[in-house]
Amino acid sequence: MLRCPVSSLYVTTPIYYVNAKPHIGHAYTTIASDVYARFHRMLGYDVKFTTGTDEHGKKIEQSARNAGVAPQEFTDKISQLFQDLLPILNISNDDFIRTTEPRHKAATQHFWNVLSDNGYIYLGEYAGWYDMRNEAYFDEEELVDGKSPFGGEVQYMTEPCYFFKLSAFQEKLLDFYEKNQDFIYPTQRKNEVVSFVERGLKDLAVSRTTFDWGIPVPKDPDHVIYVWLDALTNYMTSNGYPEKDQNNDEFWGNVIHFVGKEIVRFHAIYWPAFLMAAGIAPPKSVVSHGWWLSEGEKMSKSVGNVQDPVKYCRLFGSDALRYFVLRELSFGSDGNFSLAGFIGRYNSMLANSYGNLCSRVLSFIKKYCDGKVIRPGNTCTEDADFQREVSVALEEAVPAIREYAFSRYLEKIEYAISAANQYMDRQKPWALRDTEPTRTQDVLFVLIEQIYKITKYLYPIVPIASEKVLRQINVPYELRLDIDDGFADVAIIGELEPVFPKIETEDLSRFDVFEKD
Ligand code: MSP
């Protein structure tokens, strides 16, 4: 029994900057979060899953100016591209939050007032090297070859500024990390965060006066709120803050933030410190993934190698993209996105292994068993061995996904698929059908039942294909999304539909996959 008694889970993606169109890196964080959310819904969790866009800050103000439009018009347009991407990727989010929405402005200003009333915000003056691209100040000694540690160009600036007393949280954070070993995933990132905090924390500049495109500081509108304090608050806005008390909320009690490795520091240091200062419980986990290179290089418009998720979905389907990104890259590590790698994995696993298994079993039943097979009274050792092999692989898949090891999860399922193909090759129903019709139908029932189980486990990754297979084997809709449900005693095959047709190509160059404009 895998299903849990109802328990709540809140899954978030980072909210995406709206200075450029979404690319494969953005799609990746969203897909991983979606798979985690879908899998937990199948386990019976009451899941809330949010995503959105991060729309304030100097960088965005400047991008709008460069485009010759007002910031709101600019952010409306790009935010829409991120919203449009969600159905294309088949994302099951419950909310899409924009930081320019009134509900978010109200939540952020309320949060600011709480931090200020609790004595954690004071007015001072800031002087330092400012990285505009990454919206962060650095001291002279933090610069690397005259640039920010993120690689951005910097300029020396001073401004009156509100500070957050981050320095007061060093011990509290270290104590929190110690007591919550699962707070940061993977361990390498946790170790980096812990040693960063151990080196000492300085108070953090949390307001800006050098531009206007942001949420005004309550009672001092010459200042806008630092974009990261604004952005991080989205996770609570979407969860009904401030009307809803987060400390007494079942979703907030189990919130998991999926983020890329470069923004762990903001989520694992600043965010819990802000929350502690406001008397609100920090999130349960910050789970970080690695970065995609494109065809071996950093993605960049000037190189022309920006991988466009929309094109992949149009050419090969969202299931194929979802499968590839989670299978190819071991979560937490960096990886390389290439068209050849994509097609290679698609053909070998989705088309030749899974697609072929479904098509040969289903069409065999349709053709030679009148479209119907019945649960056998007895099964032989070979059947039992095969059934056990599949069950063990699927059981091992569950802890993998709980540990965010999506690639390992898929490896286990692939093992089960290959066991099914081998069982069919050994049993050779095509050779038995004239001489041993009963054994033939038993073998096919054993196979179809295992296809049913495997397909359910594949569902969070490739929902469209899984639905198609479950529809062909007549599984009622309400039973499709419950991981524990057993298979019927009679399998009736409906209309056959192809699943993952092979991509025929000798010449990859005919696929135009890169983002153009
Ligand atoms: N706006 C902030 C997040 C605020 S959350 C309160 C931000 N936005 S972002 O658009 O720059 O990045 C959003 C996500 O996309 C991050 O998780 C980041 O890691 C991911 N990716 C952007 N490019 C990427 C790759 N090339 N590869 C993998 N993911 C990367 O940061």
Side-chain angles (χ1 to χ4, degrees), residues 249-320:
D249 178 76
E250 68 275 24
F251 290 112
W252 195 255
N254 197 14
V255 51
I256 298 190
H257 299 314
F258 281 88
V259 300
K261 64 180 182 180
E262 82 291 1
I263 54 173
V264 170
R265 188 195 295 190
F266 300 97
H267 285 81
I269 302 176
Y270 299 172
W271 184 222
F274 293 151
L275 291 166
M276 286 174 187
I280 300 172
K284 178 156 175 274
S285 294
V286 173
V287 177
S288 83
H289 62 71
W291 266 53
W292 284 104
L293 295 174
S294 163
E295 307 287 346
E297 285 185 72
K298 192 169 186 281
M299 261 184 278
S300 114
K301 276 205 157 174
S302 49
V303 177
N305 66 348
V306 176
Q307 299 278 6
D308 184 352
V310 176
K311 286 198 181 165
Y312 275 87
C313 290
R314 297 239 158 89
L315 283 167
F316 310 113
S318 58
D319 279 353

Coordinates of all heavy atoms in Angstrom, one line a residue, residues 249-320:
D249 N -1.1 26.3 8.5 CA -1.6 25.9 7.2 C -0.9 24.6 6.8 O 0.3 24.5 6.9 CB -1.3 27.0 6.2 CG -1.7 26.6 4.8 OD1 -2.9 26.7 4.5 OD2 -0.9 26.1 4.0
E250 N -1.8 23.6 6.4 CA -1.2 22.3 6.1 C -0.3 22.3 4.9 O 0.7 21.6 4.9 CB -2.3 21.3 6.0 CG -3.2 21.4 4.8 CD -4.4 22.4 5.0 OE1 -4.4 23.3 5.8 OE2 -5.4 22.2 4.2
F251 N -0.5 23.2 3.9 CA 0.4 23.3 2.8 C 1.7 23.9 3.2 O 2.8 23.4 2.8 CB -0.2 24.1 1.6 CG -1.4 23.3 1.0 CD1 -2.7 23.8 1.1 CD2 -1.1 22.2 0.3 CE1 -3.7 23.1 0.5 CE2 -2.2 21.5 -0.3 CZ -3.5 21.9 -0.2
W252 N 1.7 25.0 3.9 CA 2.9 25.6 4.3 C 3.8 24.7 5.2 O 5.0 24.7 5.1 CB 2.7 27.0 5.1 CG 3.9 27.7 5.1 CD1 4.8 27.9 6.2 CD2 4.6 28.4 4.0 NE1 5.9 28.6 5.9 CE2 5.8 28.9 4.5 CE3 4.3 28.5 2.7 CZ2 6.7 29.6 3.7 CZ3 5.2 29.2 1.9 CH2 6.4 29.7 2.4
G253 N 3.1 23.8 5.9 CA 3.8 22.9 6.8 C 4.6 21.9 5.9 O 5.5 21.2 6.5
N254 N 4.4 21.8 4.7 CA 5.1 20.8 3.8 C 5.4 21.4 2.5 O 4.9 20.9 1.4 CB 4.2 19.5 3.7 CG 5.0 18.3 3.3 OD1 6.3 18.3 3.3 ND2 4.3 17.3 2.8
V255 N 6.2 22.5 2.5 CA 6.4 23.2 1.2 C 7.8 22.8 0.7 O 8.8 22.8 1.4 CB 6.2 24.7 1.3 CG1 6.9 25.3 2.4 CG2 6.6 25.4 0.0
I256 N 7.9 22.4 -0.6 CA 9.1 22.1 -1.2 C 9.4 23.1 -2.4 O 8.6 23.2 -3.3 CB 9.1 20.6 -1.7 CG1 8.9 19.8 -0.5 CG2 10.4 20.3 -2.5 CD1 9.1 18.3 -0.7
H257 N 10.5 23.8 -2.3 CA 10.9 24.7 -3.4 C 11.9 24.0 -4.3 O 13.0 23.7 -3.9 CB 11.6 25.9 -2.8 CG 10.7 26.8 -1.9 ND1 9.4 27.1 -2.1 CD2 11.0 27.3 -0.7 CE1 8.9 27.8 -1.1 NE2 9.9 28.0 -0.2
F258 N 11.5 23.9 -5.6 CA 12.4 23.4 -6.6 C 13.1 24.6 -7.2 O 12.5 25.6 -7.6 CB 11.7 22.6 -7.7 CG 11.3 21.2 -7.3 CD1 10.2 21.0 -6.7 CD2 12.2 20.2 -7.6 CE1 9.9 19.7 -6.3 CE2 11.9 18.9 -7.2 CZ 10.7 18.6 -6.6
V259 N 14.5 24.6 -7.2 CA 15.2 25.7 -7.7 C 16.5 25.2 -8.5 O 16.9 24.1 -8.3 CB 15.7 26.6 -6.6 CG1 14.5 27.2 -5.8 CG2 16.7 25.9 -5.7
G260 N 17.0 26.1 -9.3 CA 18.3 25.8 -10.0 C 19.4 26.1 -9.0 O 19.3 26.8 -8.0
K261 N 20.6 25.5 -9.2 CA 21.7 25.5 -8.2 C 22.2 26.9 -7.9 O 22.6 27.2 -6.8 CB 22.8 24.7 -8.7 CG 23.5 25.1 -9.9 CD 24.7 24.2 -10.3 CE 25.4 24.7 -11.6 NZ 26.5 23.9 -12.0
E262 N 22.0 27.9 -8.9 CA 22.5 29.2 -8.7 C 21.7 30.1 -7.8 O 22.1 31.1 -7.4 CB 22.7 29.9 -10.1 CG 21.5 30.5 -10.7 CD 20.5 29.5 -11.2 OE1 20.6 28.3 -11.0 OE2 19.4 30.0 -11.7
I263 N 20.5 29.6 -7.4 CA 19.6 30.4 -6.6 C 19.4 29.7 -5.2 O 18.4 30.1 -4.5 CB 18.3 30.9 -7.3 CG1 17.5 29.7 -7.8 CG2 18.6 31.9 -8.4 CD1 16.2 30.1 -8.4
V264 N 20.2 28.8 -4.9 CA 20.1 28.1 -3.6 C 20.3 29.1 -2.5 O 19.6 29.1 -1.5 CB 21.1 26.9 -3.5 CG1 21.1 26.3 -2.1 CG2 20.7 25.8 -4.5
R265 N 21.3 29.9 -2.6 CA 21.7 30.8 -1.6 C 20.5 31.7 -1.1 O 20.2 31.9 0.0 CB 22.8 31.7 -2.0 CG 23.4 32.6 -0.9 CD 24.2 33.7 -1.4 NE 25.4 33.3 -2.0 CZ 26.4 34.1 -2.4 NH1 26.3 35.4 -2.1 NH2 27.5 33.6 -3.0
F266 N 19.7 32.2 -2.1 CA 18.6 33.0 -1.8 C 17.5 32.2 -1.1 O 16.8 32.8 -0.2 CB 18.0 33.6 -3.1 CG 19.0 34.5 -3.8 CD1 19.7 33.9 -4.9 CD2 19.2 35.8 -3.5 CE1 20.6 34.7 -5.6 CE2 20.2 36.6 -4.2 CZ 20.9 36.0 -5.2
H267 N 17.3 31.0 -1.5 CA 16.2 30.2 -0.9 C 16.6 29.5 0.4 O 15.8 29.2 1.3 CB 15.8 29.1 -1.9 CG 15.0 29.6 -3.0 ND1 15.5 30.2 -4.1 CD2 13.6 29.6 -3.2 CE1 14.5 30.6 -4.9 NE2 13.4 30.2 -4.4
A268 N 17.9 29.3 0.6 CA 18.3 28.5 1.8 C 19.0 29.4 2.9 O 19.2 28.9 4.0 CB 19.3 27.4 1.4
I269 N 19.2 30.7 2.6 CA 19.8 31.5 3.6 C 18.8 32.7 3.8 O 18.3 32.9 4.9 CB 21.2 32.1 3.2 CG1 22.1 30.9 3.0 CG2 21.7 33.0 4.3 CD1 23.5 31.2 2.5
Y270 N 18.6 33.5 2.8 CA 17.8 34.7 3.0 C 16.4 34.4 3.4 O 15.8 34.9 4.3 CB 17.7 35.6 1.7 CG 19.1 36.1 1.2 CD1 19.1 36.8 0.0 CD2 20.2 36.0 2.0 CE1 20.3 37.2 -0.5 CE2 21.4 36.5 1.5 CZ 21.5 37.1 0.3 OH 22.7 37.6 -0.2
W271 N 15.8 33.4 2.6 CA 14.4 33.1 2.8 C 14.1 32.6 4.2 O 13.2 33.1 4.9 CB 14.0 32.2 1.7 CG 12.5 31.8 1.5 CD1 12.0 30.6 1.3 CD2 11.4 32.7 1.6 NE1 10.7 30.6 1.2 CE2 10.2 31.9 1.4 CE3 11.2 34.0 1.9 CZ2 8.9 32.4 1.5 CZ3 9.9 34.5 2.0 CH2 8.8 33.7 1.8
P272 N 14.8 31.6 4.7 CA 14.5 31.1 6.0 C 14.7 32.2 7.1 O 14.0 32.3 8.1 CB 15.4 29.9 6.3 CG 16.3 29.9 5.2 CD 15.8 30.7 4.0
A273 N 15.7 33.1 6.8 CA 16.0 34.1 7.8 C 14.8 35.2 7.8 O 14.4 35.6 8.9 CB 17.3 34.8 7.4
F274 N 14.4 35.5 6.6 CA 13.2 36.4 6.5 C 12.0 35.8 7.3 O 11.3 36.5 8.1 CB 12.7 36.7 5.1 CG 13.7 37.4 4.2 CD1 13.7 37.2 2.8 CD2 14.6 38.4 4.7 CE1 14.5 37.9 2.0 CE2 15.4 39.1 3.8 CZ 15.4 38.8 2.5
L275 N 11.8 34.6 7.0 CA 10.6 33.9 7.6 C 10.8 33.8 9.2 O 9.8 34.1 9.9 CB 10.4 32.5 7.0 CG 10.0 32.5 5.6 CD1 10.1 31.2 4.9 CD2 8.5 33.0 5.5
M276 N 12.0 33.4 9.6 CA 12.2 33.4 11.1 C 12.0 34.8 11.7 O 11.4 34.9 12.7 CB 13.7 33.0 11.4 CG 13.9 31.5 11.1 SD 15.7 31.2 11.3 CE 15.9 29.5 10.8
A277 N 12.4 35.8 11.0 CA 12.3 37.2 11.5 C 10.8 37.5 11.6 O 10.4 38.3 12.5 CB 13.0 38.2 10.6
A278 N 10.0 37.0 10.7 CA 8.5 37.2 10.8 C 7.8 36.3 11.6 O 6.5 36.3 11.7 CB 8.0 37.2 9.3
G279 N 8.5 35.3 12.2 CA 7.8 34.3 13.1 C 7.1 33.3 12.3 O 6.1 32.7 12.8
I280 N 7.5 33.0 11.1 CA 6.9 32.0 10.2 C 7.8 30.9 10.0 O 9.0 31.1 9.8 CB 6.5 32.7 8.8 CG1 5.5 33.8 9.1 CG2 5.9 31.6 7.9 CD1 5.2 34.7 7.8
A281 N 7.3 29.7 9.9 CA 8.1 28.5 9.8 C 8.8 28.5 8.4 O 8.2 28.8 7.4 CB 7.3 27.2 9.9
P282 N 10.1 28.2 8.4 CA 10.8 28.0 7.1 C 10.3 26.9 6.3 O 9.6 26.0 6.8 CB 12.3 27.8 7.5 CG 12.4 28.2 8.9 CD 11.0 28.0 9.5
P283 N 10.6 26.8 5.0 CA 10.1 25.7 4.2 C 10.7 24.4 4.6 O 11.7 24.4 5.3 CB 10.5 26.1 2.7 CG 11.6 27.1 2.9 CD 11.4 27.8 4.2
K284 N 10.1 23.3 4.1 CA 10.6 22.0 4.5 C 11.9 21.7 3.7 O 12.8 21.3 4.3 CB 9.5 20.9 4.2 CG 10.0 19.5 4.5 CD 8.8 18.6 4.7 CE 9.3 17.2 4.9 NZ 9.4 16.5 3.6
S285 N 11.9 22.0 2.4 CA 13.1 21.6 1.6 C 13.3 22.6 0.5 O 12.3 23.1 -0.1 CB 13.0 20.2 1.0 OG 13.0 19.3 2.0
V286 N 14.5 22.8 0.2 CA 14.9 23.5 -1.0 C 15.7 22.5 -1.9 O 16.8 22.0 -1.4 CB 15.8 24.7 -0.7 CG1 16.4 25.4 -2.0 CG2 15.1 25.7 0.2
V287 N 15.2 22.2 -3.0 CA 15.7 21.1 -3.8 C 16.3 21.7 -5.1 O 15.6 22.3 -5.9 CB 14.6 20.1 -4.2 CG1 15.1 19.0 -5.1 CG2 14.0 19.5 -3.0
S288 N 17.6 21.5 -5.3 CA 18.2 22.2 -6.4 C 18.7 21.2 -7.5 O 19.2 20.1 -7.2 CB 19.3 23.1 -5.9 OG 20.5 22.4 -5.8
H289 N 18.6 21.7 -8.7 CA 19.1 20.9 -9.9 C 20.2 21.6 -10.6 O 20.5 22.8 -10.3 CB 17.9 20.7 -10.8 CG 17.4 22.0 -11.4 ND1 18.1 22.7 -12.4 CD2 16.2 22.6 -11.2 CE1 17.4 23.7 -12.7 NE2 16.2 23.7 -12.0
G290 N 20.9 20.9 -11.5 CA 22.0 21.4 -12.2 C 21.6 22.2 -13.4 O 20.4 22.5 -13.6
W291 N 22.6 22.5 -14.2 CA 22.3 23.3 -15.4 C 22.5 22.6 -16.7 O 23.4 21.7 -16.8 CB 23.3 24.5 -15.4 CG 22.7 25.7 -14.7 CD1 22.0 25.7 -13.5 CD2 22.5 27.0 -15.2 NE1 21.5 26.9 -13.2 CE2 21.7 27.7 -14.3 CE3 22.9 27.6 -16.4 CZ2 21.4 29.0 -14.5 CZ3 22.5 28.9 -16.6 CH2 21.8 29.6 -15.7
W292 N 21.7 23.0 -17.7 CA 21.8 22.4 -19.0 C 22.8 23.2 -19.9 O 22.7 24.5 -19.9 CB 20.5 22.5 -19.7 CG 19.5 21.4 -19.3 CD1 18.4 21.6 -18.4 CD2 19.5 20.0 -19.6 NE1 17.8 20.4 -18.2 CE2 18.4 19.5 -18.9 CE3 20.4 19.2 -20.4 CZ2 18.2 18.1 -19.0 CZ3 20.1 17.9 -20.5 CH2 19.0 17.3 -19.8
L293 N 23.7 22.5 -20.5 CA 24.4 23.1 -21.6 C 23.7 22.7 -22.9 O 22.9 21.8 -22.8 CB 25.9 22.5 -21.7 CG 26.8 22.9 -20.5 CD1 28.1 22.1 -20.6 CD2 27.0 24.3 -20.4
S294 N 24.0 23.5 -24.0 CA 23.3 23.1 -25.2 C 24.3 22.7 -26.2 O 25.2 23.5 -26.5 CB 22.5 24.3 -25.7 OG 22.2 24.2 -27.0
E295 N 24.2 21.5 -26.7 CA 25.2 21.0 -27.7 C 26.6 21.2 -27.2 O 27.5 21.7 -27.9 CB 25.0 21.6 -29.1 CG 23.5 21.5 -29.7 CD 23.2 20.1 -30.1 OE1 24.0 19.2 -30.2 OE2 21.9 19.8 -30.3
G296 N 26.8 21.0 -25.9 CA 28.1 21.1 -25.3 C 28.6 22.5 -24.9 O 29.6 22.7 -24.3
E297 N 27.7 23.6 -25.1 CA 28.1 24.9 -24.8 C 27.1 25.6 -23.9 O 25.9 25.2 -24.0 CB 28.3 25.8 -26.1 CG 29.5 25.5 -26.9 CD 29.6 26.4 -28.0 OE1 29.9 27.6 -27.8 OE2 29.4 26.0 -29.2
K298 N 27.5 26.7 -23.3 CA 26.5 27.5 -22.5 C 25.5 28.1 -23.5 O 25.9 28.5 -24.6 CB 27.2 28.6 -21.8 CG 26.4 29.4 -20.8 CD 27.3 30.3 -20.0 CE 26.6 30.9 -18.8 NZ 25.8 32.0 -19.1
M299 N 24.2 28.0 -23.1 CA 23.2 28.5 -24.1 C 23.3 30.0 -24.2 O 23.3 30.7 -23.2 CB 21.8 28.2 -23.5 CG 21.2 27.0 -24.1 SD 19.5 26.7 -23.6 CE 19.8 25.9 -22.0
S300 N 23.3 30.5 -25.4 CA 23.4 31.9 -25.6 C 22.8 32.3 -26.9 O 22.9 31.6 -27.9 CB 24.8 32.4 -25.4 OG 25.3 32.9 -26.6
K301 N 22.1 33.5 -26.9 CA 21.5 33.9 -28.1 C 22.5 34.2 -29.2 O 22.3 33.9 -30.4 CB 20.7 35.2 -27.9 CG 19.4 35.0 -27.3 CD 18.5 36.1 -27.6 CE 17.0 35.6 -27.5 NZ 16.0 36.6 -27.6
S302 N 23.7 34.8 -28.8 CA 24.7 35.1 -29.8 C 25.2 33.9 -30.5 O 25.5 33.9 -31.7 CB 25.8 36.0 -29.2 OG 26.3 35.4 -28.1
V303 N 25.4 32.8 -29.7 CA 25.9 31.5 -30.3 C 24.7 30.9 -31.2 O 25.0 30.1 -32.1 CB 26.3 30.5 -29.2 CG1 26.8 29.2 -29.8 CG2 27.5 31.1 -28.4
G304 N 23.5 31.2 -30.8 CA 22.3 30.7 -31.5 C 22.0 29.3 -31.1 O 21.4 28.5 -31.9
N305 N 22.4 28.9 -29.9 CA 22.1 27.5 -29.5 C 21.1 27.4 -28.3 O 21.1 26.5 -27.5 CB 23.4 26.8 -29.1 CG 24.0 27.5 -27.8 OD1 23.6 28.5 -27.4 ND2 25.0 26.8 -27.2
V306 N 20.2 28.4 -28.2 CA 19.2 28.4 -27.2 C 18.1 27.4 -27.5 O 17.5 27.5 -28.6 CB 18.6 29.8 -26.9 CG1 17.5 29.7 -25.9 CG2 19.6 30.8 -26.5
Q307 N 18.0 26.4 -26.7 CA 17.1 25.3 -27.0 C 15.7 25.7 -26.6 O 15.4 26.1 -25.5 CB 17.4 24.0 -26.1 CG 18.8 23.5 -26.4 CD 18.9 22.6 -27.6 OE1 17.9 22.4 -28.3 NE2 20.0 22.0 -27.8
D308 N 14.8 25.6 -27.6 CA 13.4 26.1 -27.5 C 12.5 24.9 -27.1 O 12.2 24.1 -27.9 CB 13.0 26.7 -28.8 CG 11.6 27.3 -28.7 OD1 11.0 27.2 -27.7 OD2 11.3 28.0 -29.7
P309 N 11.9 25.0 -25.9 CA 11.0 23.8 -25.4 C 9.8 23.7 -26.3 O 9.3 22.6 -26.6 CB 10.7 24.2 -24.0 CG 11.0 25.6 -23.8 CD 12.1 26.0 -24.8
V310 N 9.3 24.9 -26.8 CA 8.1 24.8 -27.6 C 8.3 24.0 -28.9 O 7.5 23.2 -29.3 CB 7.6 26.3 -28.0 CG1 6.4 26.3 -28.8 CG2 7.3 27.0 -26.7
K311 N 9.5 24.2 -29.5 CA 9.8 23.5 -30.8 C 9.9 22.0 -30.5 O 9.4 21.2 -31.3 CB 11.0 24.0 -31.4 CG 10.9 25.4 -32.0 CD 12.0 25.7 -33.0 CE 11.7 27.1 -33.6 NZ 12.9 27.6 -34.2
Y312 N 10.5 21.6 -29.4 CA 10.6 20.2 -29.1 C 9.2 19.6 -28.9 O 8.9 18.5 -29.4 CB 11.4 19.9 -27.9 CG 12.9 19.9 -28.2 CD1 13.7 21.0 -28.2 CD2 13.5 18.7 -28.5 CE1 15.0 21.0 -28.6 CE2 14.9 18.6 -28.9 CZ 15.6 19.8 -28.9 OH 16.9 19.7 -29.3
C313 N 8.3 20.3 -28.2 CA 7.0 19.8 -28.0 C 6.2 19.7 -29.3 O 5.5 18.7 -29.5 CB 6.2 20.7 -27.0 SG 6.9 20.6 -25.3
R314 N 6.4 20.7 -30.2 CA 5.6 20.6 -31.4 C 6.1 19.5 -32.3 O 5.4 18.8 -32.9 CB 5.8 21.9 -32.2 CG 5.3 23.1 -31.5 CD 4.2 23.9 -32.3 NE 3.3 24.6 -31.4 CZ 3.6 25.9 -31.0 NH1 4.6 26.5 -31.5 NH2 2.7 26.5 -30.1
L315 N 7.5 19.3 -32.3 CA 8.0 18.3 -33.2 C 7.8 16.8 -32.6 O 7.5 15.9 -33.4 CB 9.5 18.5 -33.4 CG 9.9 19.6 -34.4 CD1 11.4 19.9 -34.2 CD2 9.6 19.2 -35.8
F316 N 8.0 16.7 -31.3 CA 8.1 15.3 -30.8 C 7.1 15.1 -29.7 O 7.0 14.0 -29.2 CB 9.5 15.1 -30.2 CG 10.6 15.4 -31.2 CD1 11.5 16.5 -30.9 CD2 10.7 14.7 -32.4 CE1 12.5 16.8 -31.8 CE2 11.8 15.1 -33.3 CZ 12.6 16.1 -33.0
G317 N 6.3 16.1 -29.2 CA 5.4 15.9 -28.2 C 5.9 16.3 -26.8 O 7.1 16.0 -26.5
S318 N 5.1 16.8 -25.9 CA 5.5 17.2 -24.6 C 6.0 16.0 -23.8 O 7.0 16.1 -23.0 CB 4.5 17.9 -23.8 OG 3.3 17.1 -23.7
D319 N 5.4 14.8 -24.0 CA 5.9 13.6 -23.2 C 7.3 13.3 -23.5 O 8.1 13.0 -22.6 CB 5.1 12.4 -23.7 CG 3.7 12.3 -23.0 OD1 3.4 13.1 -22.1 OD2 2.9 11.4 -23.4
A320 N 7.7 13.4 -24.7 CA 9.1 13.1 -25.1 C 10.1 14.1 -24.5 O 11.1 13.7 -24.0 CB 9.2 13.2 -26.6

